[in-house]
Amino acid sequence: MNDTKEKISMLPQGRLYVPNFPVIPHIIGDGCGPDIWEASRPVIDAAVSKVYGSERGIVWRELLAGKKAFDILHTWLPDETLAVIRECLVGIKGPLTTPVGGGIRSLNVALRQGLDLYCCVRPVRYFDGIVSPVRHPEKVDMVIFRENTEDIYAGIEFPAGDEESQAFYAWLQEKHPEQAAKIRFPKSSGFGIKPVSREGSERLIRAAILYALQNNRPSVTLVHKGNIMKFTEGSFRDWGYELAKREFGAHPIGGGPWVQLPGGLVVKDCICDAFLQEILLHPADHSVVATLNLNGDYCSDALAAQVGGIGISPGANVNYVTGHAIFEATHGTAPALAGKDVVNPSSFLLSAAMMLRYIGWGRAADALERALAKTIALGQVTADLAEQRDNATMLGTRAFGQAIISHLSA
């Protein structure tokens, strides 16, 4: 047995080097975060052990962020936390509090922007035994690639009535009077700037196409509101088609803008409001989705609701160029449930499976997902899922984790 503890690193060929015992930082999180971590760590470790025995294992290293960091170090996001994740490349986190009335606008956004994690990756699939508000939730099987660093989430805003917003309006009047004339109530208007770049769009869409090719997915849908926001979201769509042709040899199909890669992968687009209808009426028509920041926020939560909610929705924030990735529970801190051993840890566990797959430990990821799926199918579930179905066995958070371990198979 080689028990050398090493950090994950990026090889010159653009591939990850993952030792047998990688150091992986984790942030427990706020609110229900400790409950989730206590239940989830044994499951992750058991899945790795079940598949690889004593030959592989994760060396966990706790980092501070959120309320725990503020209580101990008087800062919401210590410099050391970013530095360690930057050095170790791969990490995982629970839900974090967003400070009210001051401090960082969003800790999640700060982590994404600080490490340039430009892809928010959200797989959405159905697990047998979960009650859904739609008739055929099993038809939902999509992976959303949401741009993570631009759009209005860049946080470039000027509040109504202050000097900066009035200066911005004065500049607009001077340089673009026809645009300024569209503002109905300038004195009481706040202003936001929506940056969407070619580089930011292309790297997101490139990652989505590569994922689709590597995972034998039939299509990539570019979701946008380009019919209204022509020079931001419209450009996102146009740059996506240009990229598919230039880098992947795609050629037009039919009479519209859709293109097809030589291997058969189709790249198409859909207006965002129409897409929200499409995921209800024709979910099987969409496989990989590439979209901008705000659209991705709406679409991923809407899709999660179709398969049981964000409590079982995993997520990752990835920079495929540098290799940096943070995997996370996608739900909030749920402070009312903290310490009560009732919260559902599935979002965190499925994110951990994504992490295992990302570092090349796909067999352990498969084992974890199969065991979780079996546990849910048998009706051995936490309160949020038990109350939606008949003949369920309601389990606490830790007991749910132990049930998953009992169903692990190599």
mmCIF file of all heavy atoms in Angstrom, residues 327-346:
data_model
loop_
_atom_site.group_PDB
_atom_site.id
_atom_site.type_symbol
_atom_site.label_atom_id
_atom_site.label_comp_id
_atom_site.label_asym_id
_atom_site.label_seq_id
_atom_site.Cartn_x
_atom_site.Cartn_y
_atom_site.Cartn_z
ATOM 1 N N PHE A 327 -16.850 21.398 -5.922
ATOM 2 C CA PHE A 327 -18.125 20.701 -5.983
ATOM 3 C C PHE A 327 -18.943 21.112 -4.760
ATOM 4 O O PHE A 327 -18.387 21.342 -3.687
ATOM 5 C CB PHE A 327 -17.886 19.193 -6.053
ATOM 6 C CG PHE A 327 -17.104 18.805 -7.277
ATOM 7 C CD1 PHE A 327 -15.715 18.928 -7.298
ATOM 8 C CD2 PHE A 327 -17.744 18.366 -8.418
ATOM 9 C CE1 PHE A 327 -14.987 18.611 -8.441
ATOM 10 C CE2 PHE A 327 -17.021 18.049 -9.566
ATOM 11 C CZ PHE A 327 -15.642 18.169 -9.571
ATOM 12 N N GLU A 328 -20.270 21.200 -4.908
ATOM 13 C CA GLU A 328 -21.034 21.824 -3.833
ATOM 14 C C GLU A 328 -22.465 21.322 -3.773
ATOM 15 O O GLU A 328 -23.049 20.905 -4.777
ATOM 16 C CB GLU A 328 -21.063 23.340 -4.034
ATOM 17 C CG GLU A 328 -21.772 23.783 -5.299
ATOM 18 C CD GLU A 328 -21.790 25.291 -5.486
ATOM 19 O OE1 GLU A 328 -21.329 26.010 -4.580
ATOM 20 O OE2 GLU A 328 -22.263 25.749 -6.528
ATOM 21 N N ALA A 329 -23.017 21.372 -2.562
ATOM 22 C CA ALA A 329 -24.463 21.247 -2.408
ATOM 23 C C ALA A 329 -25.087 22.506 -2.991
ATOM 24 O O ALA A 329 -24.613 23.614 -2.739
ATOM 25 C CB ALA A 329 -24.825 21.116 -0.929
ATOM 26 N N THR A 330 -26.140 22.346 -3.785
ATOM 27 C CA THR A 330 -26.692 23.499 -4.498
ATOM 28 C C THR A 330 -27.783 24.226 -3.722
ATOM 29 O O THR A 330 -28.251 25.275 -4.156
ATOM 30 C CB THR A 330 -27.259 23.051 -5.853
ATOM 31 O OG1 THR A 330 -28.271 22.067 -5.644
ATOM 32 C CG2 THR A 330 -26.165 22.477 -6.736
ATOM 33 N N HIS A 331 -28.202 23.674 -2.585
ATOM 34 C CA HIS A 331 -29.274 24.299 -1.816
ATOM 35 C C HIS A 331 -28.702 25.281 -0.798
ATOM 36 O O HIS A 331 -27.483 25.453 -0.675
ATOM 37 C CB HIS A 331 -30.110 23.227 -1.116
ATOM 38 C CG HIS A 331 -29.295 22.281 -0.296
ATOM 39 N ND1 HIS A 331 -28.720 22.633 0.908
ATOM 40 C CD2 HIS A 331 -28.928 20.992 -0.517
ATOM 41 C CE1 HIS A 331 -28.055 21.615 1.410
ATOM 42 N NE2 HIS A 331 -28.148 20.598 0.553
ATOM 43 N N GLY A 332 -29.595 25.913 -0.041
ATOM 44 C CA GLY A 332 -29.186 26.889 0.956
ATOM 45 C C GLY A 332 -28.816 26.258 2.287
ATOM 46 O O GLY A 332 -28.759 25.026 2.431
ATOM 47 N N THR A 333 -28.577 27.112 3.286
ATOM 48 C CA THR A 333 -28.086 26.649 4.580
ATOM 49 C C THR A 333 -29.180 26.080 5.476
ATOM 50 O O THR A 333 -28.877 25.361 6.431
ATOM 51 C CB THR A 333 -27.400 27.805 5.332
ATOM 52 O OG1 THR A 333 -28.334 28.886 5.480
ATOM 53 C CG2 THR A 333 -26.184 28.301 4.555
ATOM 54 N N ALA A 334 -30.448 26.383 5.205
ATOM 55 C CA ALA A 334 -31.592 25.865 5.982
ATOM 56 C C ALA A 334 -31.340 25.940 7.481
ATOM 57 O O ALA A 334 -31.345 24.916 8.178
ATOM 58 C CB ALA A 334 -31.921 24.435 5.559
ATOM 59 N N PRO A 335 -31.114 27.146 8.030
ATOM 60 C CA PRO A 335 -30.755 27.245 9.457
ATOM 61 C C PRO A 335 -31.814 26.672 10.389
ATOM 62 O O PRO A 335 -31.479 26.204 11.484
ATOM 63 C CB PRO A 335 -30.572 28.754 9.668
ATOM 64 C CG PRO A 335 -31.277 29.405 8.517
ATOM 65 C CD PRO A 335 -31.166 28.461 7.372
ATOM 66 N N ALA A 336 -33.085 26.677 9.965
ATOM 67 C CA ALA A 336 -34.143 26.132 10.823
ATOM 68 C C ALA A 336 -33.999 24.624 11.032
ATOM 69 O O ALA A 336 -34.543 24.068 11.992
ATOM 70 C CB ALA A 336 -35.512 26.447 10.228
ATOM 71 N N LEU A 337 -33.277 23.967 10.124
ATOM 72 C CA LEU A 337 -33.103 22.512 10.221
ATOM 73 C C LEU A 337 -31.758 22.123 10.821
ATOM 74 O O LEU A 337 -31.499 20.934 11.035
ATOM 75 C CB LEU A 337 -33.234 21.879 8.824
ATOM 76 C CG LEU A 337 -34.536 22.149 8.069
ATOM 77 C CD1 LEU A 337 -34.502 21.460 6.701
ATOM 78 C CD2 LEU A 337 -35.736 21.675 8.872
ATOM 79 N N ALA A 338 -30.911 23.108 11.079
ATOM 80 C CA ALA A 338 -29.549 22.831 11.545
ATOM 81 C C ALA A 338 -29.565 22.099 12.879
ATOM 82 O O ALA A 338 -30.306 22.457 13.803
ATOM 83 C CB ALA A 338 -28.761 24.132 11.661
ATOM 84 N N GLY A 339 -28.748 21.037 12.971
ATOM 85 C CA GLY A 339 -28.596 20.297 14.208
ATOM 86 C C GLY A 339 -29.725 19.364 14.552
ATOM 87 O O GLY A 339 -29.712 18.731 15.614
ATOM 88 N N LYS A 340 -30.709 19.221 13.667
ATOM 89 C CA LYS A 340 -31.881 18.390 13.964
ATOM 90 C C LYS A 340 -31.827 17.015 13.305
ATOM 91 O O LYS A 340 -32.764 16.226 13.455
ATOM 92 C CB LYS A 340 -33.151 19.126 13.539
ATOM 93 C CG LYS A 340 -33.380 20.417 14.308
ATOM 94 C CD LYS A 340 -34.677 21.107 13.908
ATOM 95 C CE LYS A 340 -34.894 22.368 14.721
ATOM 96 N NZ LYS A 340 -36.151 23.085 14.338
ATOM 97 N N ASP A 341 -30.781 16.736 12.543
ATOM 98 C CA ASP A 341 -30.606 15.427 11.914
ATOM 99 C C ASP A 341 -31.793 15.075 11.010
ATOM 100 O O ASP A 341 -32.272 13.949 10.999
ATOM 101 C CB ASP A 341 -30.422 14.344 12.990
ATOM 102 C CG ASP A 341 -29.937 13.021 12.407
ATOM 103 O OD1 ASP A 341 -29.071 13.050 11.510
ATOM 104 O OD2 ASP A 341 -30.438 11.962 12.829
ATOM 105 N N VAL A 342 -32.254 16.058 10.228
ATOM 106 C CA VAL A 342 -33.403 15.793 9.349
ATOM 107 C C VAL A 342 -33.125 16.163 7.891
ATOM 108 O O VAL A 342 -33.867 15.757 6.995
ATOM 109 C CB VAL A 342 -34.668 16.552 9.820
ATOM 110 C CG1 VAL A 342 -35.114 16.064 11.176
ATOM 111 C CG2 VAL A 342 -34.430 18.064 9.834
ATOM 112 N N VAL A 343 -32.074 16.926 7.621
ATOM 113 C CA VAL A 343 -31.848 17.458 6.276
ATOM 114 C C VAL A 343 -31.388 16.352 5.331
ATOM 115 O O VAL A 343 -30.778 15.362 5.734
ATOM 116 C CB VAL A 343 -30.820 18.607 6.319
ATOM 117 C CG1 VAL A 343 -29.421 18.076 6.617
ATOM 118 C CG2 VAL A 343 -30.830 19.414 5.044
ATOM 119 N N ASN A 344 -31.719 16.518 4.067
ATOM 120 C CA ASN A 344 -31.366 15.550 3.029
ATOM 121 C C ASN A 344 -29.949 15.842 2.514
ATOM 122 O O ASN A 344 -29.700 16.912 1.971
ATOM 123 C CB ASN A 344 -32.374 15.661 1.882
ATOM 124 C CG ASN A 344 -32.193 14.612 0.810
ATOM 125 O OD1 ASN A 344 -31.200 13.899 0.791
ATOM 126 N ND2 ASN A 344 -33.147 14.514 -0.098
ATOM 127 N N PRO A 345 -29.008 14.897 2.625
ATOM 128 C CA PRO A 345 -27.636 15.138 2.161
ATOM 129 C C PRO A 345 -27.405 14.742 0.700
ATOM 130 O O PRO A 345 -26.256 14.730 0.248
ATOM 131 C CB PRO A 345 -26.809 14.232 3.081
ATOM 132 C CG PRO A 345 -27.704 13.048 3.303
ATOM 133 C CD PRO A 345 -29.126 13.600 3.330
ATOM 134 N N SER A 346 -28.465 14.426 -0.054
ATOM 135 C CA SER A 346 -28.285 13.866 -1.399
ATOM 136 C C SER A 346 -27.582 14.817 -2.351
ATOM 137 O O SER A 346 -26.780 14.391 -3.193
ATOM 138 C CB SER A 346 -29.637 13.451 -1.987
ATOM 139 O OG SER A 346 -30.205 12.404 -1.243
#
